[in-house]
Coordinates of all heavy atoms in Angstrom, one line a residue:
M1 N 63.3 107.0 135.5 CA 63.4 108.2 134.8 C 64.8 108.9 135.0 O 65.3 108.9 136.1 CB 62.3 109.2 135.2 CG 61.5 109.8 134.1 SD 60.4 111.1 134.6 CE 58.9 110.2 135.0
E2 N 65.3 109.5 133.9 CA 66.6 110.2 134.1 C 66.4 111.4 135.0 O 65.3 112.1 134.9 CB 67.0 110.6 132.7 CG 68.4 111.2 132.7 CD 68.9 111.6 131.3 OE1 68.6 110.8 130.4 OE2 69.5 112.7 131.2
R3 N 67.4 111.7 135.8 CA 67.2 112.8 136.8 C 66.9 114.1 136.1 O 66.0 114.8 136.6 CB 68.6 112.9 137.5 CG 68.5 113.8 138.7 CD 67.6 113.1 139.7 NE 67.5 113.8 141.0 CZ 66.8 113.4 142.0 NH1 66.1 112.3 141.9 NH2 66.7 114.1 143.1
Q4 N 67.5 114.5 135.0 CA 67.2 115.8 134.4 C 65.7 115.8 133.9 O 65.1 116.8 134.0 CB 68.1 116.0 133.2 CG 69.5 116.3 133.6 CD 70.5 116.4 132.4 OE1 70.1 116.0 131.3 NE2 71.7 116.9 132.7
T5 N 65.2 114.7 133.4 CA 63.9 114.6 133.0 C 62.9 114.8 134.2 O 61.9 115.4 134.1 CB 63.6 113.2 132.3 OG1 64.5 113.1 131.3 CG2 62.2 113.1 131.8
V6 N 63.2 114.2 135.3 CA 62.4 114.3 136.5 C 62.3 115.7 136.9 O 61.2 116.3 137.2 CB 63.0 113.4 137.7 CG1 62.3 113.7 139.0 CG2 62.8 112.0 137.3
I7 N 63.5 116.4 137.0 CA 63.5 117.8 137.4 C 62.8 118.7 136.4 O 62.0 119.6 136.8 CB 65.0 118.3 137.6 CG1 65.7 117.4 138.7 CG2 65.0 119.8 138.0 CD1 65.0 117.4 140.0
R8 N 62.9 118.5 135.2 CA 62.2 119.3 134.1 C 60.7 119.1 134.3 O 59.9 120.0 134.2 CB 62.7 118.9 132.7 CG 62.1 119.8 131.7 CD 62.7 119.5 130.3 NE 62.8 118.1 129.9 CZ 63.9 117.4 129.7 NH1 65.1 118.0 129.9 NH2 63.9 116.1 129.4
D9 N 60.3 117.8 134.5 CA 58.9 117.5 134.6 C 58.3 118.2 135.9 O 57.2 118.8 135.9 CB 58.7 116.0 134.7 CG 57.2 115.6 134.8 OD1 56.4 116.2 134.1 OD2 56.9 114.6 135.5
L10 N 59.1 118.1 137.0 CA 58.7 118.8 138.2 C 58.5 120.3 138.0 O 57.5 120.9 138.5 CB 59.7 118.4 139.3 CG 59.3 118.9 140.7 CD1 58.0 118.4 141.2 CD2 60.4 118.5 141.7
N11 N 59.5 120.9 137.4 CA 59.4 122.4 137.1 C 58.1 122.7 136.3 O 57.4 123.6 136.7 CB 60.6 122.8 136.4 CG 61.8 123.1 137.3 OD1 61.7 123.7 138.3 ND2 63.0 122.6 136.8
E12 N 57.9 121.9 135.3 CA 56.7 122.2 134.5 C 55.4 122.0 135.2 O 54.5 122.7 135.1 CB 56.7 121.2 133.2 CG 57.8 121.6 132.3 CD 58.0 120.6 131.1 OE1 57.2 119.6 131.1 OE2 58.9 120.8 130.3
R13 N 55.3 120.9 136.1 CA 54.1 120.7 136.8 C 53.8 121.8 137.8 O 52.7 122.2 138.0 CB 54.2 119.3 137.6 CG 54.1 118.1 136.7 CD 54.2 116.9 137.5 NE 54.2 115.7 136.7 CZ 53.7 114.5 137.2 NH1 53.3 114.4 138.4 NH2 53.8 113.5 136.4
I14 N 54.9 122.3 138.5 CA 54.7 123.4 139.5 C 54.2 124.6 138.7 O 53.3 125.3 139.2 CB 55.9 123.6 140.3 CG1 56.2 122.3 141.2 CG2 55.8 124.8 141.2 CD1 57.5 122.3 141.9
E15 N 54.8 124.9 137.6 CA 54.4 126.1 136.8 C 53.0 126.0 136.3 O 52.2 126.9 136.3 CB 55.4 126.3 135.7 CG 56.7 126.9 136.1 CD 57.7 127.0 135.0 OE1 57.6 126.4 134.0 OE2 58.6 127.9 135.2
T16 N 52.6 124.8 136.0 CA 51.2 124.5 135.5 C 50.2 124.7 136.7 O 49.2 125.3 136.5 CB 51.1 123.1 135.0 OG1 51.9 123.0 133.8 CG2 49.6 122.8 134.6
L17 N 50.6 124.3 137.9 CA 49.8 124.5 139.1 C 49.6 126.0 139.3 O 48.5 126.4 139.6 CB 50.5 123.8 140.3 CG 49.7 123.8 141.6 CD1 48.6 122.8 141.5 CD2 50.6 123.6 142.8
A18 N 50.6 126.7 139.2 CA 50.5 128.2 139.4 C 49.6 128.8 138.3 O 48.7 129.7 138.7 CB 51.9 128.9 139.3
R19 N 49.7 128.3 137.1 CA 48.8 128.9 136.0 C 47.3 128.5 136.3 O 46.4 129.3 136.1 CB 49.2 128.3 134.7 CG 50.2 129.1 134.0 CD 50.4 128.8 132.5 NE 50.7 127.4 132.3 CZ 51.9 126.9 132.4 NH1 52.9 127.7 132.8 NH2 52.2 125.6 132.2
L20 N 47.1 127.3 136.8 CA 45.7 126.9 137.2 C 45.1 127.8 138.2 O 43.9 128.2 138.1 CB 45.7 125.5 137.7 CG 45.9 124.3 136.7 CD1 46.0 123.0 137.4 CD2 44.8 124.3 135.7
H21 N 45.9 128.3 139.1 CA 45.5 129.2 140.1 C 45.4 130.6 139.6 O 44.3 131.2 139.7 CB 46.4 129.1 141.4 CG 46.1 130.1 142.4 ND1 47.0 130.9 143.0 CD2 44.9 130.5 143.0 CE1 46.4 131.7 143.9 NE2 45.2 131.4 143.9
I22 N 46.5 131.1 139.1 CA 46.6 132.6 138.8 C 45.7 132.9 137.6 O 44.9 133.9 137.6 CB 48.0 133.0 138.6 CG1 48.8 132.8 139.9 CG2 48.2 134.4 138.1 CD1 50.3 132.9 139.8
Q23 N 45.9 132.2 136.5 CA 45.3 132.6 135.2 C 43.8 132.1 135.1 O 43.0 132.7 134.5 CB 46.1 132.1 134.0 CG 47.4 132.8 133.9 CD 48.2 132.2 132.7 OE1 47.8 131.2 132.1 NE2 49.3 132.8 132.4
H24 N 43.6 130.9 135.7 CA 42.3 130.3 135.4 C 41.4 130.2 136.7 O 40.3 129.8 136.6 CB 42.5 128.9 134.9 CG 43.3 128.9 133.6 ND1 42.8 129.4 132.4 CD2 44.5 128.5 133.4 CE1 43.7 129.3 131.5 NE2 44.8 128.7 132.0
G25 N 42.0 130.5 137.9 CA 41.2 130.5 139.1 C 40.7 129.2 139.5 O 39.6 129.1 140.1
L26 N 41.4 128.1 139.1 CA 40.9 126.8 139.4 C 41.4 126.1 140.7 O 41.4 124.9 140.8 CB 41.2 125.9 138.2 CG 40.6 126.3 136.8 CD1 41.1 125.4 135.7 CD2 39.1 126.3 136.9
H27 N 41.9 127.0 141.6 CA 42.5 126.4 142.8 C 41.6 125.7 143.7 O 42.0 125.1 144.7 CB 43.3 127.5 143.5 CG 42.5 128.7 143.8 ND1 42.1 129.7 142.9 CD2 41.9 129.1 145.0 CE1 41.4 130.6 143.4 NE2 41.3 130.3 144.7
H28 N 40.3 125.8 143.5 CA 39.3 125.2 144.4 C 38.8 123.9 143.7 O 37.9 123.3 144.3 CB 38.1 126.1 144.6 CG 38.5 127.3 145.4 ND1 39.0 127.3 146.7 CD2 38.5 128.6 145.0 CE1 39.2 128.5 147.1 NE2 38.9 129.3 146.1
T29 N 39.4 123.4 142.6 CA 38.9 122.3 141.9 C 39.6 121.0 142.4 O 40.7 121.0 142.9 CB 39.0 122.4 140.4 OG1 40.4 122.5 140.1 CG2 38.3 123.7 139.9
Q30 N 39.0 119.9 142.1 CA 39.6 118.6 142.4 C 40.8 118.3 141.5 O 41.8 117.7 141.9 CB 38.6 117.4 142.1 CG 39.1 116.1 142.5 CD 39.4 116.0 144.0 OE1 38.7 116.6 144.8 NE2 40.3 115.2 144.4
G31 N 40.8 118.9 140.3 CA 42.0 118.8 139.4 C 43.2 119.4 140.0 O 44.4 118.9 139.9
F32 N 43.0 120.6 140.6 CA 44.1 121.3 141.3 C 44.7 120.4 142.4 O 45.9 120.3 142.6 CB 43.6 122.6 141.8 CG 44.6 123.5 142.4 CD1 45.4 124.4 141.6 CD2 44.9 123.6 143.8 CE1 46.3 125.2 142.0 CE2 45.9 124.4 144.3 CZ 46.6 125.3 143.4
V33 N 43.8 119.8 143.2 CA 44.2 119.0 144.3 C 45.0 117.7 143.8 O 46.1 117.4 144.3 CB 43.0 118.5 145.2 CG1 43.4 117.5 146.2 CG2 42.4 119.7 145.8
R34 N 44.5 117.1 142.7 CA 45.2 116.0 142.1 C 46.6 116.4 141.6 O 47.6 115.6 141.7 CB 44.4 115.4 141.0 CG 43.3 114.5 141.5 CD 42.7 113.6 140.4 NE 42.2 114.4 139.3 CZ 41.0 114.9 139.1 NH1 40.1 114.7 140.0 NH2 40.7 115.6 138.0
Q35 N 46.7 117.6 141.0 CA 48.0 118.1 140.5 C 49.0 118.2 141.7 O 50.1 117.8 141.6 CB 47.7 119.4 139.8 CG 49.0 120.0 139.2 CD 49.4 119.4 137.8 OE1 48.7 118.5 137.3 NE2 50.5 119.8 137.3
K36 N 48.5 118.8 142.8 CA 49.4 118.9 143.9 C 49.8 117.6 144.5 O 51.0 117.4 144.8 CB 48.6 119.7 145.1 CG 48.6 121.2 144.8 CD 48.0 121.9 146.0 CE 48.8 121.9 147.2 NZ 48.3 122.7 148.3
E37 N 48.9 116.6 144.5 CA 49.2 115.3 145.0 C 50.3 114.6 144.1 O 51.2 114.0 144.6 CB 48.0 114.4 145.1 CG 47.1 114.9 146.2 CD 45.7 114.2 146.2 OE1 45.4 113.5 145.1 OE2 44.9 114.4 147.1
G38 N 50.1 114.8 142.8 CA 51.1 114.2 141.8 C 52.4 114.8 142.0 O 53.5 114.1 141.9
I39 N 52.5 116.1 142.2 CA 53.8 116.8 142.4 C 54.4 116.3 143.7 O 55.6 116.0 143.7 CB 53.6 118.3 142.5 CG1 53.2 118.9 141.1 CG2 54.8 119.0 143.1 CD1 52.7 120.3 141.2
A40 N 53.7 116.2 144.8 CA 54.2 115.7 146.0 C 54.7 114.2 145.9 O 55.8 113.9 146.4 CB 53.2 115.7 147.1
R41 N 54.0 113.4 145.1 CA 54.4 112.0 144.9 C 55.7 112.0 144.1 O 56.6 111.2 144.4 CB 53.3 111.3 144.2 CG 53.5 109.8 144.1 CD 52.3 109.1 143.5 NE 51.0 109.6 143.8 CZ 50.2 110.3 143.0 NH1 50.6 110.6 141.7 NH2 49.1 110.8 143.4
L42 N 55.8 112.8 143.0 CA 57.0 112.9 142.2 C 58.2 113.3 143.0 O 59.3 112.7 142.9 CB 56.8 113.9 141.1 CG 57.9 114.0 140.1 CD1 58.2 112.7 139.3 CD2 57.6 115.1 139.1
I43 N 58.1 114.2 143.9 CA 59.2 114.7 144.8 C 59.6 113.5 145.7 O 60.7 113.2 145.9 CB 58.7 115.9 145.6 CG1 58.6 117.1 144.6 CG2 59.8 116.2 146.7 CD1 57.9 118.3 145.3
R44 N 58.6 112.9 146.3 CA 58.8 111.8 147.3 C 59.5 110.6 146.6 O 60.5 110.1 147.1 CB 57.5 111.4 148.0 CG 57.7 110.4 149.1 CD 56.4 110.0 149.7 NE 55.4 109.4 148.7 CZ 54.3 110.0 148.3 NH1 53.9 111.1 148.8 NH2 53.5 109.4 147.4
D45 N 58.9 110.2 145.5 CA 59.4 109.0 144.8 C 60.8 109.1 144.3 O 61.5 108.1 144.2 CB 58.4 108.6 143.7 CG 57.1 108.1 144.2 OD1 56.9 107.9 145.4 OD2 56.2 107.9 143.4
N46 N 61.2 110.3 143.9 CA 62.5 110.6 143.3 C 63.5 111.3 144.2 O 64.6 111.6 143.8 CB 62.3 111.4 142.0 CG 61.6 110.6 140.9 OD1 62.2 109.7 140.4 ND2 60.4 110.9 140.7
E47 N 63.0 111.5 145.5 CA 63.9 112.1 146.5 C 64.5 113.3 146.0 O 65.8 113.5 146.1 CB 64.9 111.1 147.0 CG 64.3 109.8 147.6 CD 65.3 108.8 148.0 OE1 66.5 109.0 147.8 OE2 64.9 107.8 148.6
V48 N 63.7 114.3 145.5 CA 64.2 115.5 145.0 C 64.6 116.5 146.1 O 63.8 116.7 147.0 CB 63.1 116.2 144.1 CG1 63.6 117.5 143.6 CG2 62.8 115.3 142.9
N49 N 65.8 117.0 146.0 CA 66.3 118.0 146.9 C 65.8 119.4 146.3 O 66.4 119.9 145.4 CB 67.8 118.0 147.1 CG 68.3 119.0 148.1 OD1 67.7 120.1 148.2 ND2 69.4 118.7 148.7
L50 N 64.7 119.9 146.8 CA 64.1 121.1 146.2 C 65.0 122.3 146.1 O 65.1 123.0 145.1 CB 62.8 121.4 147.0 CG 61.8 120.4 147.0 CD1 60.6 120.7 148.0 CD2 61.2 120.1 145.6
R51 N 65.7 122.6 147.2 CA 66.6 123.8 147.2 C 67.7 123.7 146.2 O 68.2 124.7 145.7 CB 67.2 124.0 148.6 CG 66.1 124.4 149.6 CD 66.7 124.7 150.9 NE 65.6 125.1 151.8 CZ 65.8 125.9 152.9 NH1 67.0 126.2 153.2 NH2 64.8 126.2 153.7
Q52 N 68.3 122.5 146.0 CA 69.4 122.4 145.1 C 69.0 122.1 143.7 O 69.8 122.5 142.8 CB 70.3 121.3 145.6 CG 71.0 121.6 146.9 CD 72.0 120.5 147.3 OE1 72.0 119.4 146.7 NE2 72.7 120.7 148.4
E53 N 67.9 121.5 143.5 CA 67.6 121.0 142.1 C 66.5 121.8 141.3 O 66.5 121.8 140.1 CB 67.2 119.6 142.2 CG 68.3 118.7 142.6 CD 67.9 117.2 142.7 OE1 67.2 116.8 143.6 OE2 68.3 116.5 141.7
L54 N 65.7 122.5 142.1 CA 64.6 123.3 141.4 C 65.2 124.7 140.9 O 66.0 125.3 141.6 CB 63.4 123.6 142.3 CG 62.4 122.4 142.5 CD1 61.3 122.9 143.3 CD2 62.0 121.8 141.2
D55 N 64.6 125.2 139.8 CA 64.9 126.5 139.4 C 64.4 127.5 140.5 O 63.4 127.2 141.1 CB 64.1 126.8 138.1 CG 64.2 128.2 137.6 OD1 65.2 128.4 136.9 OD2 63.3 129.0 137.9
P56 N 65.1 128.5 140.8 CA 64.8 129.4 142.0 C 63.3 130.0 141.9 O 62.6 130.1 142.9 CB 65.8 130.6 141.9 CG 67.0 129.9 141.2 CD 66.4 128.9 140.3
H57 N 62.9 130.3 140.7 CA 61.6 130.8 140.5 C 60.5 129.8 140.8 O 59.5 130.0 141.5 CB 61.4 131.3 139.0 CG 60.0 131.6 138.6 ND1 59.3 132.7 139.1 CD2 59.1 130.9 137.9 CE1 58.0 132.6 138.6 NE2 57.9 131.6 137.9
V58 N 60.8 128.6 140.4 CA 59.9 127.4 140.6 C 59.9 127.1 142.1 O 58.8 126.7 142.7 CB 60.2 126.2 139.7 CG1 59.3 125.0 140.0 CG2 60.1 126.6 138.2
L59 N 61.0 127.2 142.7 CA 61.1 126.9 144.2 C 60.2 127.9 144.9 O 59.5 127.5 145.9 CB 62.5 127.1 144.7 CG 62.7 126.8 146.2 CD1 62.3 125.4 146.6 CD2 64.2 127.0 146.5
N60 N 60.2 129.2 144.5 CA 59.2 130.1 145.1 C 57.8 129.8 144.9 O 57.0 129.9 145.8 CB 59.5 131.5 144.6 CG 60.8 132.1 145.2 OD1 61.2 131.8 146.3 ND2 61.4 133.1 144.5
L61 N 57.5 129.3 143.7 CA 56.1 128.8 143.5 C 55.8 127.6 144.3 O 54.7 127.5 144.9 CB 55.9 128.5 142.0 CG 56.0 129.6 141.0 CD1 55.9 129.1 139.6 CD2 54.8 130.6 141.2
Y62 N 56.7 126.7 144.4 CA 56.5 125.5 145.3 C 56.2 126.0 146.7 O 55.2 125.5 147.3 CB 57.7 124.6 145.3 CG 57.6 123.5 146.2 CD1 56.9 122.3 145.9 CD2 58.2 123.6 147.5 CE1 56.8 121.3 146.8 CE2 58.0 122.6 148.4 CZ 57.3 121.4 148.1 OH 57.2 120.4 149.0
R63 N 57.0 126.9 147.2 CA 56.7 127.3 148.6 C 55.4 128.0 148.8 O 54.7 127.8 149.8 CB 57.8 128.3 149.0 CG 59.2 127.7 149.2 CD 60.2 128.7 149.6 NE 61.5 128.0 149.9 CZ 62.6 128.5 149.8 NH1 62.7 129.8 149.3 NH2 63.7 127.9 150.1
R64 N 54.9 128.7 147.8 CA 53.6 129.3 147.8 C 52.5 128.3 147.9 O 51.5 128.5 148.7 CB 53.4 130.2 146.6 CG 52.1 130.8 146.5 CD 51.9 131.7 145.3 NE 50.6 132.3 145.3 CZ 50.2 133.2 144.4 NH1 51.0 133.5 143.4 NH2 49.0 133.7 144.5
Y65 N 52.6 127.2 147.2 CA 51.5 126.3 147.2 C 51.6 125.1 148.1 O 50.7 124.4 148.4 CB 51.3 125.8 145.8 CG 50.8 126.9 144.9 CD1 51.7 127.5 144.0 CD2 49.5 127.3 145.0 CE1 51.3 128.5 143.2 CE2 49.1 128.4 144.2 CZ 50.0 129.0 143.3 OH 49.5 130.0 142.5
F66 N 52.8 124.8 148.7 CA 53.0 123.6 149.5 C 53.5 123.9 150.9 O 53.4 123.0 151.7 CB 54.1 122.7 148.8 CG 53.5 122.0 147.6 CD1 53.6 122.6 146.4 CD2 52.9 120.8 147.7 CE1 53.1 122.0 145.2 CE2 52.4 120.2 146.6 CZ 52.5 120.8 145.3
E67 N 53.9 125.1 151.2 CA 54.3 125.4 152.6 C 53.3 126.3 153.3 O 52.6 127.0 152.8 CB 55.7 126.0 152.6 CG 56.7 125.0 152.1 CD 58.2 125.6 152.1 OE1 58.4 126.8 152.4 OE2 59.1 124.8 151.8

């Protein structure tokens, strides 16, 4: 995958994760867990440098759900 596409996809997935939690209250569901696992896999497989490559707002969301 092209690097810009990977980063755009990652930003979208993290924002979707936040929506599942904040707007829909689905943070206790298996789908939420799978979404988190997919995000972690995407970061690992593409060796994403979160601090340098993520949008600052999305980085804050990432920290909220992963740290």
Side-chain angles (χ1 to χ4, degrees):
M1 229 189 270
E2 186 179 322
R3 192 67 176 177
Q4 292 175 347
T5 305
V6 169
I7 300 304
R8 184 174 49 246
D9 184 37
L10 183 57
N11 280 315
E12 290 172 1
R13 287 184 184 203
I14 293 171
E15 288 176 336
T16 298
L17 186 75
R19 273 193 302 281
L20 288 173
H21 174 227
I22 296 167
Q23 292 178 350
H24 303 290
L26 299 174
H27 55 284
H28 296 295
T29 65
Q30 187 62 32
F32 188 85
V33 172
R34 281 194 307 269
Q35 183 79 3
K36 281 183 72 172
E37 291 169 351
I39 291 168
R41 191 175 324 107
L42 182 63
I43 292 168
R44 182 183 61 245
D45 291 349
N46 292 285
E47 300 177 355
V48 176
N49 183 328
L50 298 171
R51 289 184 182 202
Q52 291 181 354
E53 297 181 281
L54 283 184
D55 176 84
H57 168 72
V58 176
L59 180 59
N60 285 334
L61 292 173
Y62 173 82
R63 287 180 176 152
R64 178 178 182 176
Y65 294 104
F66 287 89
E67 293 181 355

